[in-house]
Amino acid sequence: PAEMYYYWVAYNCSNLEYNINMTNAYTGAYGELFDAEQKLVWDKEFMDGLTLAQYARNQAEDMMKAYAALENAAGEYGIALTEEDKAAMAEDLASAQEQAGGQEKFQESLALMGISQESFDRISATGYLYDHMVELVEEEGSALYLEPEGYNQLAAYADHILLATKDLSTGEDLSEEEAAAKREKAEDLLDQLQGAEDLEALFTQLADEHSEDTGRASNPDGYVFGKGEMVQEFEDAANALEPGQVSGIVETTYGYHIILRKDLLKKMDESPDVKTKLANQRVTSLLDQRKADMTVELSSLLDEFDVGTFYASYTALVEARSAANNPDAAPDAGDGGDSAGNAGGSDSEGGNE
């Protein structure tokens, strides 16, 4: 519906305005985007050859594609809101109304965002639909079920010993002599591992004693990671190993690594939350594929639609209406939070994309 289109355009303009204002205030960046009155000029070039207005509009359309992809997928897989979902949504709505100061004030907040109760509920429902898609990925026999071996295509599980060639707190490179000493130490550790009877036990011992990875305290058994989550050299080396195999010395911008590939399926059995996290990634990937195949067809009524003019008119109306309703405390319509706040969605991953 048109109101959803305008809602998402206003929402993205508001977020963009807020973030640019905050960045400018703290760093002085983006000064060229403001006029003499410190108002954003929406036809100024922002990034990738796009004006601020074009960028906000593209972001809005991308969000609409994301929601459409989810709703369409849910329909195809027979996913609908359960009675438990509806009860939870009703409870959330009652809580939101209470926080707003009653049903009448809550309805006024929806009016300021430019959406109806129906649209609010529609956006809120998507988080639950997403969660049910994740459940299907884990449900054996479902249309979305992912066989255990399929998880190895989504992620790898590996531990490593890092001997850093830079100061990890400052990012400054070590001297050549210091780096050479790290390399020599890495070679010594690798020699010990190559003759080990219990490779994994010795690897864990040496990693605990010698690894300079600052994240080891919170990841003592290693990392489960998907494509693009590690530096390329590390990712390539880990993926080239079979579970139980150890790499040679792998050099990255961080230093020298020795990598042990571990059994992801065993990790998922021991830690169900890891499996659920990967199931989330699977759903996100499926929805991203759907989005990539989508196009936006615009009504001719939007041929002359100017985002900057629309947003200026919108914020002026919000300010006027807020001032009339709350003469002693009118909100700032352009603060990125009150004028076009998120209509809803659960806290689940994907619900508030």
Side-chain angles (χ1 to χ4, degrees):
E3 75 166 46
M4 293 288 282
Y5 185 86
Y6 292 119
Y7 165 74
W8 285 120
V9 171
Y11 172 83
N12 279 279
C13 284
S14 184
N15 276 346
L16 192 57
E17 181 179 53
Y18 176 78
N19 289 323
I20 290 175
N21 273 314
M22 289 293 289
T23 303
N24 178 256
Y26 283 105
T27 70
Y30 299 128
E32 72 280 2
L33 300 178
F34 295 89
D35 63 17
E37 298 178 353
Q38 265 317 94
K39 297 289 186 181
L40 283 180
V41 181
W42 290 92
D43 60 2
K44 290 274 191 179
E45 185 173 328
F46 178 49
M47 63 170 56
D48 299 328
L50 299 175
T51 65
L52 274 171
Q54 290 168 332
Y55 184 85
R57 188 166 174 172
N58 286 355
Q59 289 291 99
E61 291 173 4
D62 191 63
M63 293 179 80
M64 284 183 282
K65 287 194 288 185
Y67 277 85
L70 177 55
E71 290 177 339
N72 292 345
E76 290 178 23
Y77 292 112
I79 299 171
L81 294 177
T82 64
E83 291 306 314
E84 290 81 3
D85 296 335
K86 294 175 183 177
M89 287 178 62
E91 187 176 331
D92 290 342
L93 177 59
S95 176
Q97 290 173 341
E98 182 180 354
Q99 290 177 11
Q103 183 173 358
E104 184 176 340
K105 289 188 176 180
F106 177 75
Q107 291 299 323
E108 175 61 18
S109 71
L110 292 186
L112 290 176
M113 289 190 288
I115 59 172
S116 61
Q117 182 72 55
E118 181 182 5
S119 294
F120 176 87
D121 292 341
R122 180 177 175 181
I123 295 173
S124 298
T126 55
Y128 297 94
L129 299 178
Y130 181 94
D131 287 344
H132 292 317
M133 282 192 70
V134 173
E135 291 166 4
L136 286 184
V137 172
E138 298 185 80
E139 182 182 313
E140 190 168 356
S142 80
L144 284 175
Y145 178 65
L146 184 63
E147 295 285 350
E149 295 74 16
Y151 286 90
N152 284 317
Q153 305 302 314
L154 294 178
Y157 177 33
D159 197 2
H160 76 138
I161 300 170
L162 169 64
L163 298 175
T165 55
K166 63 169 58 182
D167 185 321
L168 297 178
S169 61
T170 65
E172 293 184 8
D173 291 333
L174 302 183
S175 68
E176 291 184 7
E177 293 78 9
E178 289 171 315
K182 294 292 183 75
R183 173 81 189 199
E184 185 176 344
K185 184 176 181 179
E187 290 172 349
D188 176 62
L189 295 176
L190 184 59
D191 286 342
Q192 295 181 53
L193 289 166
Q194 289 174 338
E197 292 184 7
D198 188 338
L199 176 62
E200 188 161 339
L202 180 59
F203 192 97
T204 299
Q205 177 189 331
L206 294 179
D208 288 342
E209 292 175 359
H210 301 286
S211 182
E212 296 168 0
D213 177 8
T214 55
R216 185 160 189 82
S218 53
N219 297 278
D221 301 319
Y223 298 88
V224 175
F225 57 93
K227 185 174 178 60
E229 293 182 29
M230 297 291 189
V231 292
Q232 194 64 50
E233 298 89 346
F234 186 102
E235 182 180 318
D236 290 344
N239 286 329
L241 301 171
E242 295 295 329
Q245 288 184 334
V246 67
S247 72
I249 296 173
V250 179
E251 185 174 357
T252 73
T253 54
Y254 293 99
Y256 301 114
H257 307 256
I258 303 172
I259 302 169
L260 173 68
R261 180 76 178 262
K262 304 180 80 171
D263 190 335
L264 176 62
L265 301 186
K266 182 180 177 182
K267 176 69 172 178
M268 292 194 304
D269 288 340
E270 295 170 349
S271 306
D273 58 314
V274 171
K275 184 177 182 180
T276 299
K277 178 184 177 182
L278 294 178
N280 271 274
Q281 291 181 13
R282 171 67 171 164
V283 170
T284 299
S285 176
L286 291 172
L287 295 177
D288 284 344
Q289 291 173 21
R290 285 176 172 264
K291 276 176 56 180
D293 292 336
M294 287 181 171
T295 57
V296 177
E297 295 183 6
L298 298 175
S299 163
S300 60
L301 295 172
L302 288 173
D303 286 346
E304 302 302 324
F305 175 60
D306 182 82
V307 170
T309 301
F310 158 74
Y311 186 61
S313 299
Y314 167 74
T315 51
L317 285 169
V318 170
E319 288 172 347
R321 186 160 177 166
S322 297
N325 292 333
N326 304 285
D328 296 327
D332 177 1
D335 67 358
D338 293 327
S339 64
N342 195 339
S346 80
D347 290 334
S348 65
E349 183 176 350
N352 278 329
E353 181 175 0

